[in-house]
Structure formats: structure tokens, C-alpha cells
Amino acid sequence: MNEHLDRGPRSKDELAADVARDIPHGAFVNLGIGQPTTVADHLPVGSGVVLHTENGMLGMGPLAHGGPHDPIDPDLTNAGKVPVTALPGASYFHHADSFAMMRGGHLDVCVLGAFQVSATGDLANWHTGEPDAIPAVGGAMDLAIGAKQVFVMMTLFAKDGSAKLVPGCTYPLTGVGCVDRVYTDVATFEVGPQGARVLETFGTSYDDLLARLDVPLGR
Amino acid sequence: MNEHLDRGPRSKDELAADVARDIPHGAFVNLGIGQPTTVADHLPVGSGVVLHTENGMLGMGPLAHGGPHDPIDPDLTNAGKVPVTALPGASYFHHADSFAMMRGGHLDVCVLGAFQVSATGDLANWHTGEPDAIPAVGGAMDLAIGAKQVFVMMTLFAKDGSAKLVPGCTYPLTGVGCVDRVYTDVATFEVGPQGARVLETFGTSYDDLLARLDVPLGR
Amino acid sequence: MRVCADTDEAVAGVEDGATVLVGGFGMAGMPVPLIDALIRHGATDLTVVSNNAGNGDTGLAALLAAGRVRTMICSFPRQSDSWVFDRLYREGRIELEVVPQGNLAERMRAAGAGIGAFFCPTGVGTPLAEGKEVREIDGRTYLLEYPIKGDLALIGAHRADRAGNLVYRRTARNFGPVMATAATTVVAQVSEVVETGEIDPEVVVTPGIYVDRVVRVTT
Amino acid sequence: MRVCADTDEAVAGVEDGATVLVGGFGMAGMPVPLIDALIRHGATDLTVVSNNAGNGDTGLAALLAAGRVRTMICSFPRQSDSWVFDRLYREGRIELEVVPQGNLAERMRAAGAGIGAFFCPTGVGTPLAEGKEVREIDGRTYLLEYPIKGDLALIGAHRADRAGNLVYRRTARNFGPVMATAATTVVAQVSEVVETGEIDPEVVVTPGIYVDRVVRVTT
């Protein structure tokens, strides 16, 4: 375990860069809507990473900005319904094939945001549990259980100071035991059947984390 | 019911022509290997009938004979592995899609051969039940249960004189209650939950059939 | 297969209480002109199956606003511009079944493929598993999911030939090919209708067997 | 994805006892050069999944004749030129599981799509239903069918790009796209390898994510 005490927490950009660094060369990857999308900007040239978007495409390129080389095409969007581009070697397929690809374990990595993650890798990221909220799951549950490895990106603490790495999720679950790694501003964790383990800290110490979190922490 | 007593039994050609006549205009049809294949030769020009072959094609054309307009292409065969041609409007698809099309009830008619058919529409056409026979089912069971209507073509009596329209099949079944019509040399029958009914006879009378068959026969 | 003169002819005959599958993911592949025709047609008490529950005030949102939809089956009703659905839902004037996006696709695929039900790993241990049959197979836990079948499917494709073969454009393909297999009557709006034989059989995505009516729309 | 120098490199690493999915329907799509390489490789005690059980004395028949196959899973072993299989079977030197052709395809599709099992109407009431779980759903009877997963798939396609995207030719497509989703290592022989980007993303049949090795063969 590496304690980086000579610095502050990771910025969002640094977090995305660190996730990008841990994606293997040539991996097939789905980046969830929101913060995970920014990981794409940090993949090195020649990474060979191929992006999957669950609305039916492999080989997704950067966002389209309407220039001569990246025209906006309403028939070409990502899962967030934002216009994107296609890279050489791309392919299109329908929704049943796209989710078969995901559910069948063919994607190497999926990066998701989260409200909470448990020490054993349970994920809560689709519903805050408020009684009057309109439930909307989209592809969250499919993404959570499909990829060979699931990475979560989040802040370790909510705005009210409560920890988001928890002994058991109090928000409604998206998937059980599905998360492998949790990348946060102040630390990276491995989670799973053996519980949580700290891999690296940023601007905080292992002992600080032990004190602030309600879960046993390997190191 | 029509008794045609002023003539002999139907020839194979006449039988195929009569089946072809009963296929609705524009129907999607699968013709089983063997005798059913000959039905294609009797479909009138402009019938609009589209042939499905379960190895992955709609819009199958006639057999390829190696001429300038029907070259033999080893990559284009029917389910009997015989080179065929493709008609305008054809499409190719893989085996899972092809059998999904069949199993999902999208074909209008399937024409099959049979060893035995029961009065309630059970079909036996894949295995003679001999203990040393190597079992081989191919697409027979999928075809039997998939189409909206299943037509059987066969002689009414086996070479040993035994009837092939029976109270219950003695050969191993291909499908239960799946046959709608049985076209034979001497008669056409409707079969199903209500039992068998004679629609037409050829060179024999309803009473003759009653005497020779072991099943109650509506008329 | 019929090429219709206009969208009103294309949606004719839909009955009150019908289940209507509506293609599209966001606006990509969304058949707005067909939905407009459905509104003019007047059918009510509908169950609508679509990935989202309407955007803004047009298309599916307009159908909802007209009070024609009793039940919405979708993966993601809650969007920044889903105010029509939100209001109806909060007023208790519409029922909602939330289905994970991949299950939505796979359940329609099952309907089209003649599959009676299937064991799916998505949603295990989550609130969406409530009431579903659970089974462990080969060390993994699955939920039993049932087909979703439509009376009518409205889909947006790119090009059709007169045999009903369809091709799509980029990620506008999404739910179209799956919905085309899962409904009794399938209506496709396209940008172009070409002669039969003008679409390469190798690139057909939806074979004509699945398509009942095609209408050209200008967008 | 790796473009291999020859077929020996393409099949390297297969272990004794492996399950090998072999594409093709008759000779269309049959990857004979890859099977020849598998024979040279020497792996034995194999389970082979293929529609037929070898024709003549070459390809799959030669693999059988070399004594490398413990179990054959297929729909139609008995053909006019299947003497190699016939002899091994009658001598009790090979096990046979006969699977209806559509179930063979759908069970491999399930393996590739992460489906744990599915209820299928094919074969109900037949000898092939023995030992299978039966369930009535919505008035129709179904059998529970389980996935068939391969360690290795050998398929014949037409053209590949360097990203592993594949297109097929005519009915040689058959089992290839399904098998490509269902095996841990997927090897495709093709007639041509083109640069990434030279296959239109709209017409890709097997996306590169499913393909591990490609080798060009001259036929």
C-alpha cells in the first residue's frame, strides 16, 4: 500500500487519469454516464482500448463537436444520448446483441459511478431510496453484473460527511458483490468476498481511513 | 369432402402441386428435405411465396445447376446441403437467428415428410426406433413446432401395407400435436385436437379409408 | 408487406388496450411521425414499451399527455425533459414497470424467438428482483424473466425494400430489430424505399418476414 | 486480437479435454484448415460441438479418425458419407449427444449471452425430452435447456479486419457468429484480412470483441 501524504486528495481529473492508467492495453471497456465518461480523455494514444456503448456500438470515438471531422449526427450517440463519433474498426449492433455482449462477460472493464459500495462489492447507484423518487434503472443493473471487472469512481464521503464505502448499502442495490475496485478522491480500494483493502491513499493516511470508515480495511 | 373416384391415387408430382396450391399467396415457407422440396417446382409464378432455409436464408431460389445464371457456390446451399440460388430480396442470417425465426412462429407454413402422423397431429419423422440406428434429428423437431401451419406429405400406407395415419405413433415422436394437414397419395386429411377429418380422396372412397385406417375419420 | 401511402394508413387498425412497442433510444430511431399518427388514430388504454418515457412535449410525450397510455414499461423514465411522464406518474394516472435495459431487450427477443422464459443474472438481490423466481445454476444466481410481446411495433429504420427488408443507421438501430421480431404487426418508418433486390442480402438487418408495413417519412 | 502467421499458431494452446466448437453446415463455413491444424497439434479427449459429425475422410472426420474426440455434440451425425463417425459409434468408441439444430444454436447463444438456462418448446414429448425439466408457461409446454460453452471455437468467415471484425459469405455464415460468442478462445479462418476501418461498421456480423485470432487461408 502506498500512502501519499505529501499531497491533497485527487482532483476529478487525476482520478480519471488513474482509472485510465489501470485499464489494460487493448481492453474492451464501457464507461458509465457522468464522471466515468471522462476516463476516455485520459486513455493514452495507442492504448488500443475499445469503447462499448450499450446503445449498440463498439469503437466509440470522442464526442462530436460539429466540426468537419466530427459532425453531429442524431443517429450516432452514446448512452447519455450525446452525439459522438465512430473510430475505424467500429461496429453497430442492436440492443439485444449489445446487452448479450455485456451480460455474457465479454467486456473487460466497466467503470461506474456510485452512491454507495459495500466492502464486499455490493453496488448502489440507481436509486436514492426516497419514497417519491421515480425509479429509473436504465442499463445500470446490466452493467453492474456484466463486465469481467467493475471499477467504481466516486468521492469517498457524501456532502453530509457520511462514508460511501459502507459495511452494507442502505440505498437500494444495483448489484450484489459485483464491484472489484473503488477509486475515490482520497484512496483506492479493492473490494470483494475478502472485504475491503486499501491500495493507495491521497492526502490521507491508512489510519485516518480506518478511523473514518465503518468497515475493516486490509492493507 | 370431395371423393375423386374416377381416377387413381395422386402421383408425387400431383401431390406436390396440390400442396403448392394450398400455400397462401406471399407466405413464408420452409420446405423440408426430400419430397417437400419438390413443392417449390409447383409454386405458380407470382405466388409471392418466400422460401426459408434453416441454415440461414430467406428468399431461396431454385437449385443451382452451374449455368451462367445459377453458378454453383459452395457457400450457398439449402438445408440438404445442395447448392441453390438466391432471389432478389433475399437475406442471410446466422443459425440462432434462423431458428428464432422458426421457433417464434414467424413462418406461415412448413412442409415435412413423415413416417407416421397421429389423428391428433403428433409427428414421427426423425427416427425409425430401430435399436441400432444412429439417432440424428437435425432441424426436424424445431421445424415441427415452429411454423403457424405444418403440412405433411407422405404415402398413406407403408410398403408393408401398414397405415401411416395412426391412432398414436409407434415410432419415436418428433413433435406433439404439431401437424395440421396430411397430404397423401390417396387422400388429404386435417388432423388436430378434434381428430382426423378427410378433406379429399383420390382413387379411393371415404368408406374404403374408414375400413383401412384404425382411426375415426370425420368428413 | 405493404408500402403505405402515409403514416395514418401505417397505424390503422390498432385497438384500444393494445401493447405497443416503440423503438428508439432518446431521439435516435424514435419513430415520431408514427407516434403522431397513433395519436390521431385515437387508440387508448395502451401499454407502451419503450426505453424511455417521452422527452419534451412531442412524440411519446404527446401520446402520454393525450391520456392514451395506461401502463409504461421502460428502463429509464426519469430524464431532464420527461415532465409529462413525471406529472402523470405523480398524479397516479399512469402505471410504471421499470425493467433493466438489457432485460427489456432480451424479454422482447424471447417473445420473438419462441422462448418461454429465461434465467437472467441481471437484478439479482435488488428491489427489481421482488416476486421473481430465483435459481442457482452452476454457482451463479439468476432470476426467471418472461417474454414481452407486442400487438404493434413502431420502429424507425433507414431504408426498406419492397419486400420489407430493413437496414438502420448507426446507433439508431438500437431496439428496432428486436421489436420487429416481437410484435404481431410491425410498422417501420424509413427515409427511403427501394426496389426489392437493391439491398445486399448480406447486410439486411431485419428480414422482411418481420415487417408488415413500411412508410416513407421525410425528416 | 492477433493475426496469426499460420493455422498452427492459430490453434496453439488448446488442451486435452477441451470443448471445441466447430462451425459449418456441411462444407459451407467448415474450417477444414483449422481442423487439420488441430489434428497436428495433437490435443485429445476432446468434446466437439458441430452440426454434423464429419463427412468423408477429411476435416472433422479426420479428427474423429485420429481418435481425438471423446464426445460429439451435434444435431445430425448420420449422413451418407459419415462412415468414420458411424464406425466409431458402433464400436462404442465415441459418445454422442444429439441436440435439435435450433437448440444447439440457442444453447450456444445462451452461453455467449450470459443466460443461465431457457425454456424452449422444441422436443417436448419426444425421446430427447428425457431427463429435462418440463414447465407449462401461458398454456404451452417447454423444456429447460442449458448453455453450451466452448473452450475453443474454430470458425470459417470470409473477411476480417485487423480488429477482428468479421463478415461471412451467404449461408456459410450459419453457426459462426453464434460460436464466436460462446467460446473462451475464438479462432477464425478467413479468405482475406483487411486494414482496420475497411469493413463498414454497419455490416460487421461478428464484432472484433469476440475474436481472439485470425488466420488467412487459401482455399
Side-chain angles (χ1 to χ4, degrees), chain B residues 21-166:
Chain B
R21 187 200 56 206
D22 288 355
I23 292 176
H25 180 89
F28 292 91
V29 178
N30 186 299
L31 300 175
I33 295 174
Q35 205 185 341
T37 303
T38 65
V39 170
D41 304 330
H42 297 275
L43 290 168
V45 174
S47 72
V49 168
V50 178
L51 295 182
H52 172 260
T53 181
E54 62 264 34
N55 51 318
M57 180 188 196
L58 274 172
M60 180 172 65
L63 295 185
H65 295 293
H69 300 295
D70 59 352
I72 285 173
D73 180 343
D75 285 345
L76 181 56
T77 75
N78 64 16
K81 288 145 194 165
V82 178
V84 293
T85 55
L87 297 178
S91 54
Y92 302 110
F93 30 82
H94 63 59
H95 247 81
D97 279 351
S98 183
F99 281 81
M101 190 181 287
M102 187 183 294
R103 195 190 311 108
H106 303 284
L107 295 174
D108 297 296
V109 178
C110 178
V111 185
L112 297 171
F115 300 144
Q116 292 177 324
V117 177
S118 83
T120 56
D122 293 354
L123 172 67
N125 76 347
W126 76 287
H127 197 299
T128 56
E130 285 156 30
D132 70 333
I134 297 177
V137 69
M141 290 185 183
D142 314 88
L143 286 160
I145 58 100
K148 288 182 191 123
Q149 284 196 89
V150 172
F151 293 171
V152 159
M153 292 172 78
M154 64 180 190
T155 55
L156 187 54
F157 299 97
K159 282 173 189 155
D160 67 2
S162 61
K164 293 157 77 173
L165 179 66
V166 293

Side-chain angles (χ1 to χ4, degrees), chain D residues 7-90:
Chain D
T7 54
D8 291 304
E9 182 187 342
V11 305
V14 54
E15 294 183 4
D16 291 354
T19 296
V20 184
L21 316 181
V22 178
F25 182 87
M27 292 313 290
M30 177 63 68
V32 173
L34 288 177
I35 299 168
D36 289 344
L38 183 61
I39 296 171
R40 289 193 298 274
H41 172 282
T44 191
D45 199 29
L46 303 172
T47 294
V48 170
V49 184
S50 195
N51 189 61
N52 303 109
N55 302 77
D57 291 298
T58 59
L60 193 45
L63 182 70
L64 297 175
R68 306 288 173 70
V69 182
R70 178 172 41 86
T71 305
M72 188 75 226
I73 300 176
C74 67
S75 86
F76 208 80
R78 189 186 64 218
Q79 302 194 270
S80 60
D81 57 354
S82 61
W83 49 75
V84 172
F85 176 83
D86 295 3
R87 176 173 54 76
L88 291 169
Y89 182 79
R90 293 192 194 287

Side-chain angles (χ1 to χ4, degrees), chain D residues 114-130:
Chain D
I115 301 298
F118 59 93
F119 284 105
C120 184
T122 309
V124 168
T126 76
L128 297 189
E130 276 169 34

Side-chain angles (χ1 to χ4, degrees), chain A residues 60-194:
Chain A
M60 180 172 65
L63 295 186
H65 295 294
H69 300 295
D70 60 351
I72 286 172
D73 180 342
D75 286 344
L76 181 55
T77 75
N78 65 16
K81 288 147 193 162
V82 177
V84 293
T85 54
L87 297 179
S91 54
Y92 301 111
F93 30 82
H94 63 60
H95 247 81
D97 278 351
S98 182
F99 280 82
M101 189 180 287
M102 186 184 292
R103 196 192 309 108
H106 303 284
L107 295 175
D108 297 297
V109 178
C110 178
V111 185
L112 296 171
F115 300 143
Q116 292 178 323
V117 176
S118 84
T120 56
D122 293 353
L123 173 67
N125 77 346
W126 76 287
H127 198 300
T128 56
E130 285 156 30
D132 70 333
I134 297 176
V137 68
M141 290 185 184
D142 315 87
L143 286 159
I145 58 100
K148 288 181 191 125
Q149 284 196 89
V150 172
F151 294 172
V152 160
M153 291 171 79
M154 63 180 193
T155 55
L156 187 54
F157 299 96
K159 282 173 190 156
D160 67 3
S162 61
K164 292 158 78 174
L165 180 66
V166 293
C169 298
T170 54
Y171 288 155
L173 287 188
T174 310
V176 176
C178 55
V179 179
D180 298 283
R181 277 196 190 189
V182 183
Y183 293 83
T184 76
D185 45 351
V186 293
T188 301
F189 303 89
E190 202 175 78
V191 295
Q194 320 301 327

